[in-house]
Amino acid sequence: MKTNLIYILGMMCLSGTVSAQTTVNYTEFEQKVLDYSQTLKQSVSQRTAMQKAMKAAKTAFFPAVDATGSYQYRINKYDMDFGGMAVPMEHDSYSAEVGVVQPIYAGGSIYHTYKASQIQSQIADKSVDLTTDNLIYAAEASYWGTAAQKEMYKTMCQYVEIISQLTKVLQDKYDDGYISKIDLIQMQTRLKEAELQRSSSYQSYQIALQNMNVLMGLEPDKEVGLVDSIFVELPLPAYVGADAALNVRPDYAISQLDVDYQKRQVKLAAAKYNPSLSIGFKETWGTQMLNISGETMFNSNVYASVKLPLFHWGARFKSTAAQKAILLGKQYALQDKQDQITKEVAKAWTSLTENTRQIDIAKENCKLAEENLDLNTFSYTEGRLTILDVLSAQLTWVQAYTNLIQSYYEQKIALADYRKATGIRYLGQK
């Protein structure tokens, strides 16, 4: 009976702050956060840029067509001497050229550049997944943190009401001369302390709501109600080992791709010093080299270009050695990321299982604290206990409910940690 009364008092305490407001459950909140997030939009734009860059790199395999033109006007008069005969030269000369070049072999630089751009595109794609994961985790932490603050505020309202009711009883007893003023002052002091705690709890709750609104792209002071309580029971996932997590974690995939990208950089460093071959065709129209009459003509040329690097003072070895050193660092980072994920999965599973057990303990403790408060309050009114026993029982009661809320909150966060650590979101996509 008393539990129902306390719940009603808590709802009455909140009734002034939730009227005419928009409500949102966790699923809706998560989607709103993802839809608004500027960070996610930046990540998606970066992915688009990398996809375009990959397509641009691929064009290097195809023939390139270029057109050039030039015009020249000589100011001074000039006569060309042809065996004692002076022939005046035209003042202006001009030409236009269209050329087609097809690389046959570029030492591997075009191929490895294209493959490197593919890897960068894949990294950008995984970065979107990683950003999404981080946003989902932030949404979970924000929503359940706000839900916990809401229940704390309701609890503090109930706490104030319990003390206020007893204070009124003591005031009547004092007025009738049944108790000393010391008991009344101690209870009135406790009431003021509880009101301060309620005010502080309300402040924390409002700040948490404001943070939620900002994550959704709303005005901070917009009134939003939470549909899902911190006490809601969420389904617990099955155990997932670190090996399964490694196959789906986007940050681990990025580390792997970093290694692959650096391997391409090693090959690109060597490719600059490999032989290269290209062929081409040029069609030129313009005035002749010795422009006597101003007549124009067409010239067609087919050519092949070969480059054989011979000696660069060991630049090839030094460049590849530098890139190989970077590659070794990337490989160490990949192993470190694997160890980190292994620890995260183990820690998250332990926290989830233990926090779930702690909820049952906290529930039992709340029942005992409530019974203890009822008995101590009744015994005090009957003159069998001192006011200190009642004050102590009140503190035990509020601490017990605080621990229960904290246990539920920590379990929700532990669940979020486990989902993020194991990449459960991606397991169904494999």
Short mmCIF file of all heavy atoms in Angstrom, two decimals, residues 212-272:
data_model
loop_
_atom_site.label_atom_id
_atom_site.label_comp_id
_atom_site.label_asym_id
_atom_site.label_seq_id
_atom_site.Cartn_x
_atom_site.Cartn_y
_atom_site.Cartn_z
N MET A 212 19.83 15.91 -23.91
CA MET A 212 19.09 15.06 -24.85
C MET A 212 18.54 15.89 -26.01
O MET A 212 18.63 15.47 -27.18
CB MET A 212 17.93 14.37 -24.12
CG MET A 212 18.30 13.13 -23.35
SD MET A 212 16.83 12.29 -22.67
CE MET A 212 15.90 11.92 -24.16
N ASN A 213 17.97 17.03 -25.70
CA ASN A 213 17.40 17.88 -26.75
C ASN A 213 18.46 18.32 -27.75
O ASN A 213 18.23 18.35 -28.96
CB ASN A 213 16.74 19.10 -26.12
CG ASN A 213 15.39 18.77 -25.51
OD1 ASN A 213 14.72 17.84 -25.93
ND2 ASN A 213 14.97 19.55 -24.52
N VAL A 214 19.63 18.68 -27.24
CA VAL A 214 20.72 19.10 -28.13
C VAL A 214 21.14 17.96 -29.05
O VAL A 214 21.39 18.17 -30.24
CB VAL A 214 21.91 19.62 -27.30
CG1 VAL A 214 23.12 19.87 -28.20
CG2 VAL A 214 21.53 20.89 -26.57
N LEU A 215 21.20 16.75 -28.51
CA LEU A 215 21.56 15.59 -29.34
C LEU A 215 20.55 15.35 -30.44
O LEU A 215 20.90 14.85 -31.52
CB LEU A 215 21.68 14.34 -28.46
CG LEU A 215 22.93 14.23 -27.58
CD1 LEU A 215 22.86 12.98 -26.71
CD2 LEU A 215 24.20 14.18 -28.43
N MET A 216 19.28 15.69 -30.20
CA MET A 216 18.23 15.52 -31.21
C MET A 216 18.09 16.72 -32.12
O MET A 216 17.28 16.71 -33.04
CB MET A 216 16.89 15.24 -30.52
CG MET A 216 16.80 13.89 -29.83
SD MET A 216 15.13 13.54 -29.21
CE MET A 216 15.01 14.73 -27.86
N GLY A 217 18.86 17.79 -31.85
CA GLY A 217 18.75 18.99 -32.66
C GLY A 217 17.60 19.88 -32.27
O GLY A 217 17.15 20.70 -33.08
N LEU A 218 17.10 19.75 -31.04
CA LEU A 218 15.98 20.55 -30.56
C LEU A 218 16.50 21.68 -29.66
O LEU A 218 17.66 21.69 -29.26
CB LEU A 218 14.99 19.68 -29.77
CG LEU A 218 14.41 18.47 -30.50
CD1 LEU A 218 13.52 17.68 -29.56
CD2 LEU A 218 13.65 18.89 -31.75
N GLU A 219 15.63 22.62 -29.36
CA GLU A 219 15.97 23.67 -28.41
C GLU A 219 16.17 23.05 -27.03
O GLU A 219 15.41 22.16 -26.63
CB GLU A 219 14.86 24.72 -28.35
CG GLU A 219 14.74 25.55 -29.61
CD GLU A 219 15.98 26.36 -29.90
OE1 GLU A 219 16.61 26.85 -28.93
OE2 GLU A 219 16.33 26.51 -31.09
N PRO A 220 17.19 23.50 -26.29
CA PRO A 220 17.48 22.87 -25.00
C PRO A 220 16.32 22.89 -24.02
O PRO A 220 16.15 21.95 -23.23
CB PRO A 220 18.66 23.71 -24.47
CG PRO A 220 19.30 24.27 -25.69
CD PRO A 220 18.18 24.52 -26.66
N ASP A 221 15.50 23.94 -24.06
CA ASP A 221 14.42 24.06 -23.08
C ASP A 221 13.11 23.42 -23.53
O ASP A 221 12.09 23.56 -22.86
CB ASP A 221 14.18 25.54 -22.74
CG ASP A 221 13.84 26.38 -23.97
OD1 ASP A 221 13.95 25.84 -25.10
OD2 ASP A 221 13.49 27.56 -23.81
N LYS A 222 13.11 22.73 -24.67
CA LYS A 222 11.89 22.06 -25.12
C LYS A 222 11.56 20.91 -24.17
O LYS A 222 12.44 20.13 -23.80
CB LYS A 222 12.06 21.52 -26.54
CG LYS A 222 10.80 20.84 -27.08
CD LYS A 222 10.97 20.40 -28.51
CE LYS A 222 9.72 19.68 -29.02
NZ LYS A 222 8.52 20.55 -28.96
N GLU A 223 10.29 20.82 -23.78
CA GLU A 223 9.89 19.79 -22.84
C GLU A 223 9.73 18.45 -23.54
O GLU A 223 8.98 18.32 -24.51
CB GLU A 223 8.57 20.19 -22.15
CG GLU A 223 8.72 21.40 -21.23
CD GLU A 223 7.49 21.61 -20.37
OE1 GLU A 223 6.59 20.74 -20.41
OE2 GLU A 223 7.43 22.62 -19.66
N VAL A 224 10.45 17.46 -23.06
CA VAL A 224 10.42 16.12 -23.63
C VAL A 224 10.24 15.12 -22.49
O VAL A 224 10.96 15.19 -21.48
CB VAL A 224 11.71 15.80 -24.41
CG1 VAL A 224 11.70 14.36 -24.90
CG2 VAL A 224 11.86 16.75 -25.58
N GLY A 225 9.29 14.21 -22.65
CA GLY A 225 9.06 13.18 -21.65
C GLY A 225 9.64 11.84 -22.09
O GLY A 225 9.67 11.52 -23.28
N LEU A 226 10.12 11.09 -21.13
CA LEU A 226 10.70 9.78 -21.42
C LEU A 226 9.64 8.69 -21.25
O LEU A 226 8.99 8.61 -20.21
CB LEU A 226 11.88 9.50 -20.49
CG LEU A 226 12.99 10.56 -20.43
CD1 LEU A 226 14.13 10.06 -19.57
CD2 LEU A 226 13.47 10.92 -21.81
N VAL A 227 9.49 7.87 -22.28
CA VAL A 227 8.54 6.76 -22.21
C VAL A 227 9.13 5.59 -21.44
O VAL A 227 8.47 4.98 -20.60
CB VAL A 227 8.13 6.32 -23.63
CG1 VAL A 227 7.25 5.07 -23.57
CG2 VAL A 227 7.41 7.45 -24.35
N ASP A 228 10.38 5.26 -21.71
CA ASP A 228 11.03 4.11 -21.08
C ASP A 228 11.63 4.51 -19.74
O ASP A 228 12.43 5.45 -19.65
CB ASP A 228 12.13 3.56 -21.99
CG ASP A 228 11.56 2.99 -23.29
OD1 ASP A 228 10.44 2.45 -23.24
OD2 ASP A 228 12.22 3.11 -24.33
N SER A 229 11.25 3.79 -18.71
CA SER A 229 11.79 4.03 -17.38
C SER A 229 13.14 3.36 -17.22
O SER A 229 13.47 2.40 -17.93
CB SER A 229 10.81 3.49 -16.33
OG SER A 229 11.42 3.44 -15.06
N ILE A 230 13.92 3.85 -16.28
CA ILE A 230 15.20 3.21 -15.99
C ILE A 230 14.99 1.80 -15.45
O ILE A 230 15.87 0.94 -15.54
CB ILE A 230 16.01 4.05 -14.96
CG1 ILE A 230 17.46 3.56 -14.85
CG2 ILE A 230 15.34 4.02 -13.61
CD1 ILE A 230 18.25 3.74 -16.10
N PHE A 231 13.78 1.53 -14.95
CA PHE A 231 13.47 0.21 -14.39
C PHE A 231 13.01 -0.80 -15.44
O PHE A 231 12.72 -1.95 -15.09
CB PHE A 231 12.39 0.32 -13.31
CG PHE A 231 12.80 1.18 -12.14
CD1 PHE A 231 11.96 2.17 -11.66
CD2 PHE A 231 14.03 0.99 -11.52
CE1 PHE A 231 12.34 2.96 -10.59
CE2 PHE A 231 14.41 1.77 -10.44
CZ PHE A 231 13.57 2.76 -9.98
N VAL A 232 12.93 -0.39 -16.71
CA VAL A 232 12.48 -1.32 -17.74
C VAL A 232 13.48 -2.46 -17.87
O VAL A 232 14.69 -2.26 -17.80
CB VAL A 232 12.29 -0.60 -19.09
CG1 VAL A 232 13.61 -0.09 -19.64
CG2 VAL A 232 11.62 -1.51 -20.10
N GLU A 233 12.96 -3.68 -18.05
CA GLU A 233 13.83 -4.86 -18.18
C GLU A 233 14.14 -5.08 -19.66
O GLU A 233 13.25 -5.35 -20.46
CB GLU A 233 13.14 -6.09 -17.60
CG GLU A 233 12.77 -5.97 -16.12
CD GLU A 233 14.00 -6.01 -15.22
OE1 GLU A 233 15.08 -6.42 -15.71
OE2 GLU A 233 13.87 -5.63 -14.03
N LEU A 234 15.40 -4.95 -20.01
CA LEU A 234 15.82 -5.17 -21.39
C LEU A 234 16.34 -6.59 -21.56
O LEU A 234 16.96 -7.14 -20.65
CB LEU A 234 16.93 -4.18 -21.77
CG LEU A 234 16.56 -2.69 -21.72
CD1 LEU A 234 17.77 -1.83 -22.09
CD2 LEU A 234 15.40 -2.39 -22.65
N PRO A 235 16.10 -7.20 -22.72
CA PRO A 235 16.61 -8.56 -22.94
C PRO A 235 18.14 -8.57 -22.95
O PRO A 235 18.77 -7.72 -23.57
CB PRO A 235 16.04 -8.93 -24.32
CG PRO A 235 15.75 -7.62 -24.98
CD PRO A 235 15.36 -6.68 -23.88
N LEU A 236 18.70 -9.55 -22.26
CA LEU A 236 20.16 -9.65 -22.18
C LEU A 236 20.69 -10.51 -23.32
O LEU A 236 20.10 -11.53 -23.65
CB LEU A 236 20.57 -10.24 -20.83
CG LEU A 236 20.16 -9.44 -19.60
CD1 LEU A 236 20.66 -10.11 -18.33
CD2 LEU A 236 20.68 -8.01 -19.69
N PRO A 237 21.79 -10.10 -23.94
CA PRO A 237 22.34 -10.87 -25.06
C PRO A 237 23.09 -12.10 -24.58
O PRO A 237 23.44 -12.22 -23.39
CB PRO A 237 23.32 -9.87 -25.71
CG PRO A 237 23.77 -9.01 -24.57
CD PRO A 237 22.57 -8.89 -23.65
N ALA A 238 23.32 -13.03 -25.50
CA ALA A 238 24.14 -14.20 -25.19
C ALA A 238 25.61 -13.80 -25.20
O ALA A 238 25.99 -12.75 -25.71
CB ALA A 238 23.87 -15.30 -26.21
N TYR A 239 26.42 -14.68 -24.63
CA TYR A 239 27.85 -14.40 -24.57
C TYR A 239 28.46 -14.45 -25.98
O TYR A 239 28.19 -15.36 -26.76
CB TYR A 239 28.56 -15.41 -23.67
CG TYR A 239 30.07 -15.24 -23.67
CD1 TYR A 239 30.66 -14.19 -22.99
CD2 TYR A 239 30.88 -16.12 -24.38
CE1 TYR A 239 32.03 -14.02 -22.98
CE2 TYR A 239 32.26 -15.96 -24.39
CZ TYR A 239 32.82 -14.91 -23.69
OH TYR A 239 34.19 -14.74 -23.70
N VAL A 240 29.26 -13.46 -26.29
CA VAL A 240 29.97 -13.40 -27.57
C VAL A 240 31.45 -13.27 -27.27
O VAL A 240 31.87 -12.37 -26.54
CB VAL A 240 29.50 -12.19 -28.41
CG1 VAL A 240 30.32 -12.08 -29.69
CG2 VAL A 240 28.02 -12.33 -28.74
N GLY A 241 32.25 -14.16 -27.84
CA GLY A 241 33.68 -14.13 -27.59
C GLY A 241 34.39 -13.03 -28.35
O GLY A 241 33.83 -12.40 -29.25
N ALA A 242 35.65 -12.83 -28.00
CA ALA A 242 36.45 -11.77 -28.62
C ALA A 242 36.68 -12.04 -30.10
O ALA A 242 36.75 -11.11 -30.91
CB ALA A 242 37.78 -11.63 -27.89
N ASP A 243 36.79 -13.34 -30.49
CA ASP A 243 37.03 -13.66 -31.90
C ASP A 243 35.89 -13.18 -32.78
O ASP A 243 36.10 -12.64 -33.87
CB ASP A 243 37.23 -15.17 -32.07
CG ASP A 243 38.52 -15.66 -31.45
OD1 ASP A 243 39.42 -14.81 -31.25
OD2 ASP A 243 38.63 -16.86 -31.16
N ALA A 244 34.67 -13.39 -32.31
CA ALA A 244 33.51 -12.92 -33.08
C ALA A 244 33.48 -11.40 -33.15
O ALA A 244 33.12 -10.81 -34.17
CB ALA A 244 32.22 -13.44 -32.45
N ALA A 245 33.89 -10.74 -32.06
CA ALA A 245 33.91 -9.28 -32.05
C ALA A 245 34.94 -8.74 -33.04
O ALA A 245 34.70 -7.72 -33.71
CB ALA A 245 34.22 -8.78 -30.64
N LEU A 246 36.08 -9.42 -33.15
CA LEU A 246 37.13 -8.95 -34.06
C LEU A 246 36.66 -8.97 -35.51
O LEU A 246 37.11 -8.17 -36.33
CB LEU A 246 38.38 -9.82 -33.92
CG LEU A 246 39.15 -9.69 -32.59
CD1 LEU A 246 40.28 -10.69 -32.53
CD2 LEU A 246 39.68 -8.27 -32.42
N ASN A 247 35.76 -9.89 -35.83
CA ASN A 247 35.29 -10.01 -37.20
C ASN A 247 34.33 -8.91 -37.60
O ASN A 247 34.09 -8.70 -38.80
CB ASN A 247 34.61 -11.37 -37.40
CG ASN A 247 35.58 -12.53 -37.34
OD1 ASN A 247 36.75 -12.38 -37.69
ND2 ASN A 247 35.11 -13.68 -36.88
N VAL A 248 33.76 -8.19 -36.62
CA VAL A 248 32.72 -7.21 -36.95
C VAL A 248 33.00 -5.81 -36.42
O VAL A 248 32.33 -4.86 -36.84
CB VAL A 248 31.35 -7.69 -36.40
CG1 VAL A 248 30.90 -8.95 -37.12
CG2 VAL A 248 31.41 -7.94 -34.89
N ARG A 249 33.97 -5.65 -35.51
CA ARG A 249 34.23 -4.32 -34.96
C ARG A 249 34.79 -3.39 -36.04
O ARG A 249 35.81 -3.70 -36.67
CB ARG A 249 35.22 -4.43 -33.81
CG ARG A 249 34.66 -4.87 -32.48
CD ARG A 249 34.05 -3.71 -31.73
NE ARG A 249 35.05 -2.76 -31.31
CZ ARG A 249 35.57 -2.70 -30.07
NH1 ARG A 249 35.13 -3.54 -29.13
NH2 ARG A 249 36.47 -1.80 -29.77
N PRO A 250 34.14 -2.25 -36.30
CA PRO A 250 34.64 -1.34 -37.35
C PRO A 250 36.01 -0.76 -37.05
O PRO A 250 36.80 -0.54 -37.97
CB PRO A 250 33.57 -0.25 -37.41
CG PRO A 250 32.81 -0.36 -36.13
CD PRO A 250 32.88 -1.78 -35.70
N ASP A 251 36.32 -0.49 -35.78
CA ASP A 251 37.64 0.07 -35.48
C ASP A 251 38.76 -0.94 -35.72
O ASP A 251 39.87 -0.57 -36.13
CB ASP A 251 37.69 0.60 -34.05
CG ASP A 251 37.21 -0.42 -33.03
OD1 ASP A 251 36.58 -1.42 -33.42
OD2 ASP A 251 37.45 -0.21 -31.82
N TYR A 252 38.47 -2.24 -35.51
CA TYR A 252 39.47 -3.26 -35.81
C TYR A 252 39.64 -3.39 -37.32
O TYR A 252 40.77 -3.55 -37.82
CB TYR A 252 39.06 -4.60 -35.22
CG TYR A 252 40.11 -5.69 -35.39
CD1 TYR A 252 41.30 -5.64 -34.68
CD2 TYR A 252 39.90 -6.74 -36.27
CE1 TYR A 252 42.26 -6.63 -34.84
CE2 TYR A 252 40.86 -7.73 -36.44
CZ TYR A 252 42.05 -7.67 -35.72
OH TYR A 252 43.01 -8.63 -35.89
N ALA A 253 38.54 -3.31 -38.06
CA ALA A 253 38.62 -3.36 -39.52
C ALA A 253 39.44 -2.18 -40.05
O ALA A 253 40.22 -2.33 -41.00
CB ALA A 253 37.22 -3.36 -40.12
N ILE A 254 39.28 -1.01 -39.43
CA ILE A 254 40.06 0.16 -39.85
C ILE A 254 41.55 -0.07 -39.61
O ILE A 254 42.39 0.28 -40.45
CB ILE A 254 39.57 1.41 -39.09
CG1 ILE A 254 38.18 1.82 -39.60
CG2 ILE A 254 40.54 2.57 -39.27
CD1 ILE A 254 37.54 2.94 -38.82
N SER A 255 41.90 -0.69 -38.48
CA SER A 255 43.30 -0.99 -38.20
C SER A 255 43.87 -1.97 -39.22
O SER A 255 45.01 -1.84 -39.66
CB SER A 255 43.44 -1.56 -36.78
OG SER A 255 43.11 -0.61 -35.80
N GLN A 256 43.06 -2.96 -39.59
CA GLN A 256 43.51 -3.90 -40.64
C GLN A 256 43.71 -3.19 -41.97
O GLN A 256 44.70 -3.44 -42.68
CB GLN A 256 42.48 -5.02 -40.79
CG GLN A 256 42.43 -6.01 -39.63
CD GLN A 256 41.35 -7.06 -39.83
OE1 GLN A 256 40.22 -6.74 -40.16
NE2 GLN A 256 41.71 -8.31 -39.61
N LEU A 257 42.78 -2.31 -42.31
CA LEU A 257 42.89 -1.58 -43.57
C LEU A 257 44.07 -0.61 -43.55
O LEU A 257 44.68 -0.35 -44.60
CB LEU A 257 41.59 -0.82 -43.84
CG LEU A 257 40.38 -1.70 -44.18
CD1 LEU A 257 39.10 -0.89 -44.17
CD2 LEU A 257 40.57 -2.37 -45.54
N ASP A 258 44.39 -0.06 -42.37
CA ASP A 258 45.57 0.79 -42.25
C ASP A 258 46.84 0.02 -42.62
O ASP A 258 47.74 0.56 -43.27
CB ASP A 258 45.69 1.34 -40.83
CG ASP A 258 44.76 2.52 -40.59
OD1 ASP A 258 44.32 3.13 -41.58
OD2 ASP A 258 44.48 2.82 -39.42
N VAL A 259 46.91 -1.23 -42.18
CA VAL A 259 48.06 -2.08 -42.53
C VAL A 259 48.09 -2.32 -44.03
O VAL A 259 49.14 -2.20 -44.68
CB VAL A 259 47.99 -3.41 -41.75
CG1 VAL A 259 49.08 -4.38 -42.25
CG2 VAL A 259 48.17 -3.17 -40.26
N ASP A 260 46.94 -2.66 -44.63
CA ASP A 260 46.89 -2.90 -46.07
C ASP A 260 47.26 -1.65 -46.86
O ASP A 260 47.97 -1.73 -47.88
CB ASP A 260 45.48 -3.36 -46.48
CG ASP A 260 45.12 -4.71 -45.88
OD1 ASP A 260 46.04 -5.46 -45.51
OD2 ASP A 260 43.91 -5.00 -45.77
N TYR A 261 46.79 -0.51 -46.39
CA TYR A 261 47.11 0.75 -47.07
C TYR A 261 48.61 1.03 -47.02
O TYR A 261 49.21 1.45 -48.02
CB TYR A 261 46.34 1.89 -46.42
CG TYR A 261 46.65 3.25 -47.01
CD1 TYR A 261 46.06 3.63 -48.22
CD2 TYR A 261 47.51 4.13 -46.38
CE1 TYR A 261 46.33 4.88 -48.78
CE2 TYR A 261 47.79 5.37 -46.93
CZ TYR A 261 47.21 5.75 -48.13
OH TYR A 261 47.49 6.97 -48.68
N GLN A 262 49.21 0.78 -45.87
CA GLN A 262 50.65 1.04 -45.75
C GLN A 262 51.47 0.09 -46.61
O GLN A 262 52.53 0.45 -47.11
CB GLN A 262 51.07 0.96 -44.28
CG GLN A 262 52.48 1.47 -44.02
CD GLN A 262 52.68 2.89 -44.51
OE1 GLN A 262 51.78 3.73 -44.38
NE2 GLN A 262 53.85 3.16 -45.08
N LYS A 263 50.99 -1.14 -46.80
CA LYS A 263 51.68 -2.07 -47.70
C LYS A 263 51.69 -1.51 -49.12
O LYS A 263 52.70 -1.66 -49.84
CB LYS A 263 50.98 -3.43 -47.68
CG LYS A 263 51.19 -4.22 -46.39
CD LYS A 263 50.44 -5.54 -46.44
CE LYS A 263 50.67 -6.35 -45.15
NZ LYS A 263 49.90 -7.63 -45.15
N ARG A 264 50.60 -0.87 -49.52
CA ARG A 264 50.56 -0.23 -50.83
C ARG A 264 51.55 0.94 -50.90
O ARG A 264 52.16 1.19 -51.95
CB ARG A 264 49.15 0.27 -51.14
CG ARG A 264 48.13 -0.85 -51.32
CD ARG A 264 48.43 -1.65 -52.57
NE ARG A 264 47.53 -2.81 -52.68
CZ ARG A 264 47.62 -3.73 -53.62
NH1 ARG A 264 48.57 -3.64 -54.54
NH2 ARG A 264 46.78 -4.75 -53.66
N GLN A 265 51.71 1.65 -49.79
CA GLN A 265 52.65 2.76 -49.77
C GLN A 265 54.08 2.28 -49.95
O GLN A 265 54.91 2.96 -50.57
CB GLN A 265 52.50 3.55 -48.47
CG GLN A 265 51.17 4.25 -48.30
CD GLN A 265 50.86 5.18 -49.45
OE1 GLN A 265 51.65 6.06 -49.78
NE2 GLN A 265 49.70 5.00 -50.06
N VAL A 266 54.39 1.12 -49.38
CA VAL A 266 55.73 0.53 -49.58
C VAL A 266 55.95 0.25 -51.07
O VAL A 266 57.02 0.56 -51.63
CB VAL A 266 55.88 -0.76 -48.75
CG1 VAL A 266 57.20 -1.46 -49.08
CG2 VAL A 266 55.82 -0.45 -47.26
N LYS A 267 54.96 -0.34 -51.72
CA LYS A 267 55.09 -0.66 -53.15
C LYS A 267 55.11 0.61 -54.00
O LYS A 267 55.81 0.66 -55.03
CB LYS A 267 53.95 -1.57 -53.58
CG LYS A 267 54.00 -2.94 -52.90
CD LYS A 267 52.83 -3.83 -53.31
CE LYS A 267 52.94 -5.19 -52.64
NZ LYS A 267 51.82 -6.09 -52.99
N LEU A 268 54.37 1.62 -53.59
CA LEU A 268 54.38 2.88 -54.33
C LEU A 268 55.75 3.56 -54.24
O LEU A 268 56.21 4.17 -55.21
CB LEU A 268 53.30 3.81 -53.79
CG LEU A 268 51.91 3.67 -54.40
CD1 LEU A 268 50.89 4.50 -53.63
CD2 LEU A 268 51.93 4.10 -55.86
N ALA A 269 56.37 3.47 -53.06
CA ALA A 269 57.69 4.07 -52.89
C ALA A 269 58.70 3.43 -53.84
O ALA A 269 59.58 4.12 -54.39
CB ALA A 269 58.16 3.93 -51.45
N ALA A 270 58.58 2.11 -54.05
CA ALA A 270 59.49 1.41 -54.97
C ALA A 270 59.11 1.65 -56.42
O ALA A 270 59.98 1.67 -57.31
CB ALA A 270 59.49 -0.08 -54.66
N ALA A 271 57.81 1.85 -56.70
CA ALA A 271 57.34 1.98 -58.08
C ALA A 271 57.91 3.21 -58.78
O ALA A 271 58.08 3.22 -60.00
CB ALA A 271 55.82 2.03 -58.10
N LYS A 272 58.25 4.25 -58.02
CA LYS A 272 58.79 5.47 -58.61
C LYS A 272 60.12 5.22 -59.30
O LYS A 272 60.53 5.99 -60.17
CB LYS A 272 58.96 6.53 -57.52
CG LYS A 272 57.66 7.06 -56.98
CD LYS A 272 57.85 7.85 -55.69
CE LYS A 272 58.93 8.90 -55.80
NZ LYS A 272 59.07 9.68 -54.55
#
